[in-house]
Amino acid sequence: MAAPKLMDFDRALELFEPVLGFEVHVELNTKTKMFSDAPNFFGGEPNTNVTPVDLGLPGSLPVVNEQAVRYSISLGLALGCSIAESSRFARKNYFYPDLAKNYQISQHDEPIAYRGSVDVELPDGRTVTVPIERAHMEEDAGKLTHVGGSTGRIQGAEYSLVDYNRAGVPLVEIVTDIIYGAEKDAPELAKAYVSTIRDIVIALGISDAKMERGNLRCDANISLSPRGSGILGTRTETKNVNSLRSVERAIRYEIQRQAAILDAGGTITQETRHWHEDTGRTSAGRPKSDADDYRYFPEPDLLPVQPSTELIEELRQALPEAPALRRRRLREAWGFTELEFRDVVNSGLLNELDATVAAGASPQAARKWWTGEIARLANVAGVDSASLVSAEQVAQLIELIEAGTLTDRLARQVLEGVIAGEGSPAEVVDSRGLAVVSDDGALIAAIDEALAAQPDVLAKIRDGKVQAAGAVIGAVMKAMRGSADAARVRELVLERANSAPE
Amino acid sequence: MSEISAEQVAHLAMLARIELSPEEIASLTVELGSIVDNVAKVSAVATPDLPATSHPIPLVNVFRPDVVGETLTQEQALSGAPEAHDGRFRVSAILGEEQ
């Protein structure tokens, strides 16, 4: 496939205003599914976490999971939504084998939560209020594997295999209103919005919220409005965006792609687009019209949900701290500068840092490792940092550094081992033999040897040319195979150089 | 008279993977048409002040506790499948795209 023409991002913004909208699906972490008592666990042997309800077998009847309703109300409240006095499920009819019933039980015109807003903080500190149209309950679909196509995708597939373990997993779909005014920050806003939703559901404890596992999924709608025209452009809906980083990249890409087409006099096709992490592009999917007819009608097998005011108040009282307040509190507790803190928030690493500090690490050390080496490795691997290591592992690593067992350089090697699945930091230190040699005796011997081997350097150091010590330090580190603390070596080199006999 | 055509019935049968003979399509076209006509009569008399009757029984909030129950075995789950492979349902390739 030839690379599509892209317009320079800044130029695109001069000509067009990006208009955004998001649909975020959150998988709830209830014990059972939305409408059946099968375990809410995706994975394991295919088609084992299923009941007759999940397979849509004749005569089976769905029953609503009470916990899923409570979670949905809590999420609605956290999004500043009104909770419907009466809400109903509806059948969304379509022919596709990811659900066995030929319809998905969802909510249509009577969602459980409606009209709210979420404050989202941008990298530059600006806060944008994202309007929420609704949050509704529905069931997840099964997993299809396409066989026979060259790429494992649907194009060219000969047949498909279906696993219904995920069918019926409780979902809340959060739909925003149209978002104007994001301007050049549109990609950052997209990322910050999804990150904020993730923070909210994690704080509520209602979802595992791991994007790489599909617990949290974002469909990003974007269109471009020609400056001064007041006309909304045709939108595309980008799917398959499964990391915070991809959300940002996908929006940036679509702005550049659409701008190039419009500027060349073309038109945008209203369609879904698939994001490809490897190429950093989107490709055309199904044409989509506003008139997509799912023949919604009220689900006759389920009764209306009418939460009492007492229940709503109970859940409102139990809401956790709002993300913005929490950020303020953490920044003060950690004593970070505004820049340091923003760096953490923009990297989407606030929860990881919080957990790492809770596991005993100092805030500064936790910040240094998460936003430094771990972020770098995650970037190289094209994944989110949190999927590489746990907060506990990072805290253990920092503890080893602070105890003097590891230098930063050795710690980076240990980190690699931990990420490669070699065990806890302590185990990797043992198995790879990476501990710092803290016995000065061995160091001094190596230093004396190195100084003796380089008398010219020794002379320079004695003349006060301290930077000359680098050659000796390098030789010593090499002799110690890197397992020495460079700062300590430097200290000792200077000490020995000035005390050794002429 | 309804607007259900034989082509629509044939298309629906294809989507639903139900094999219908031309005779069955013809008779279903008439039957479905008659059903749609009767439903249309309801629309004609249902004025906006009439509440929806999808849930005529005054019952609400029927819930289930979040407790895991019994599941089917893979063998049971697949027992009604026309084709299965690798513990999964095997279906024809679908034109279109993933939902």
Side-chain angles (χ1 to χ4, degrees), chain A residues 92-152:
Chain A
K92 178 181 181 179
N93 297 280
Y94 66 88
F95 282 101
Y96 197 70
D98 60 356
L99 280 169
K101 306 187 294 294
N102 278 347
Y103 58 84
Q104 177 193 32
I105 305 179
S106 180
Q107 295 196 295
H108 181 48
D109 48 4
E110 297 170 87
I112 184 113
Y114 59 96
R115 278 208 305 275
S117 67
V118 179
D119 282 346
V120 174
E121 212 174 299
L122 294 178
D124 64 3
R126 179 158 78 102
T127 297
V128 174
T129 301
V130 173
I132 303 292
E133 183 200 312
R134 57 191 275 151
H136 68 252
M137 300 183 278
E138 60 183 29
E139 58 181 338
D140 210 343
K143 170 90 183 147
L144 263 69
T145 309
H146 305 295
V147 182
S150 54
T151 56

Side-chain angles (χ1 to χ4, degrees), chain A residues 121 321 323-342 344-345 350 353-354 357 362-364 367:
Chain A
E121 212 174 299
E321 199 179 10
L325 293 176
R326 173 168 175 248
R327 281 199 293 271
R328 207 164 304 145
R329 174 176 62 79
L330 289 177
R331 201 197 126 184
E332 280 166 22
W334 294 344
F336 285 5
T337 65
E338 200 166 312
L339 203 66
E340 286 171 339
F341 194 74
R342 210 180 286 160
V344 172
V345 173
L350 196 65
L353 233 74
D354 194 14
V357 172
S362 76
Q364 282 296 358
R367 184 185 66 80

Side-chain angles (χ1 to χ4, degrees), chain A residues 30-33 36-37 39 46-48 50 63-66 88 95-98 145 153-154 157-162 164 272 274 286 298-299 302-306, chain B residues 12 15-16 52 54-55 57 59-74 77-78 85-99:
Chain A
T30 50
K31 294 188 182 67
T32 65
K33 291 187 178 178
S36 89
D37 57 5
N47 295 304
T48 52
V50 291
V63 188
V64 177
N65 181 339
E66 181 165 29
R88 226 191 295 244
F95 282 101
Y96 197 70
D98 60 356
T145 309
R153 299 197 65 81
I154 193 155
E158 285 158 22
Y159 59 93
S160 303
L161 297 173
V162 196
Y164 287 113
T272 60
H274 287 280
R286 178 170 59 103
E299 167 59 88
L302 293 169
L303 293 157
V305 175
Q306 298 183 352
Chain B
L12 201 61
L15 288 174
S54 59
H55 295 89
I57 305 164
L59 257 183
V60 296
N61 297 337
V62 174
F63 299 130
R64 169 179 68 71
D66 189 21
V67 177
V68 174
E70 256 187 67
T71 53
L72 298 174
T73 62
Q74 190 182 76
L78 296 171
H85 182 68
D86 250 359
R88 285 169 287 184
F89 293 81
R90 182 180 158 151
V91 298
S92 326
I94 299 101
L95 293 174
E97 55 128 6
E98 291 143 287
Q99 289 289 318

Side-chain angles (χ1 to χ4, degrees), chain A residues 63-247:
Chain A
V63 188
V64 177
N65 181 339
E66 181 165 29
Q67 184 70 293
V69 173
R70 293 174 64 101
Y71 282 180
S72 304
I73 295 172
S74 293
L75 179 51
L77 291 170
L79 297 170
C81 288
S82 303
I83 303 302
E85 277 177 36
S86 182
S87 98
R88 226 191 295 244
F89 290 97
R91 290 190 183 178
K92 178 181 181 179
N93 297 280
Y94 66 88
F95 282 101
Y96 197 70
D98 60 356
L99 280 169
K101 306 187 294 294
N102 278 347
Y103 58 84
Q104 177 193 32
I105 305 179
S106 180
Q107 295 196 295
H108 181 48
D109 48 4
E110 297 170 87
I112 184 113
Y114 59 96
R115 278 208 305 275
S117 67
V118 179
D119 282 346
V120 174
E121 212 174 299
L122 294 178
D124 64 3
R126 179 158 78 102
T127 297
V128 174
T129 301
V130 173
I132 303 292
E133 183 200 312
R134 57 191 275 151
H136 68 252
M137 300 183 278
E138 60 183 29
E139 58 181 338
D140 210 343
K143 170 90 183 147
L144 263 69
T145 309
H146 305 295
V147 182
S150 54
T151 56
R153 299 197 65 81
I154 193 155
Q155 289 83 4
E158 285 158 22
Y159 59 93
S160 303
L161 297 173
V162 196
D163 171 11
Y164 287 113
N165 280 350
R166 195 178 59 191
V169 164
L171 289 180
V172 175
E173 178 176 343
I174 304 164
V175 184
T176 67
D177 267 325
I178 298 177
I179 305 163
Y180 299 97
E183 294 296 346
K184 66 171 175 37
D185 297 322
E188 288 81 8
L189 174 66
K191 179 181 175 185
Y193 170 69
V194 179
S195 173
T196 303
I197 297 293
R198 191 184 67 159
D199 289 349
I200 290 173
V201 299
I202 288 176
L204 287 167
I206 62 172
S207 174
D208 296 342
K210 294 195 188 306
M211 290 193 82
E212 69 276 11
R213 290 195 200 157
N215 301 140
L216 191 76
R217 310 195 283 267
C218 174
D219 299 340
N221 290 283
I222 182 151
S223 67
L224 297 182
S225 168
R227 294 271 171 210
S229 73
I231 301 165
L232 274 182
T234 303
R235 72 189 158 86
T236 61
E237 179 181 345
T238 302
K239 290 174 173 281
N240 196 32
V241 200
N242 50 18
S243 72
L244 289 174
R245 196 168 153 266
S246 312
V247 175

Side-chain angles (χ1 to χ4, degrees), chain A residues 130 263 307 385 408:
Chain A
V130 173
D263 192 48
S385 301
D408 278 9

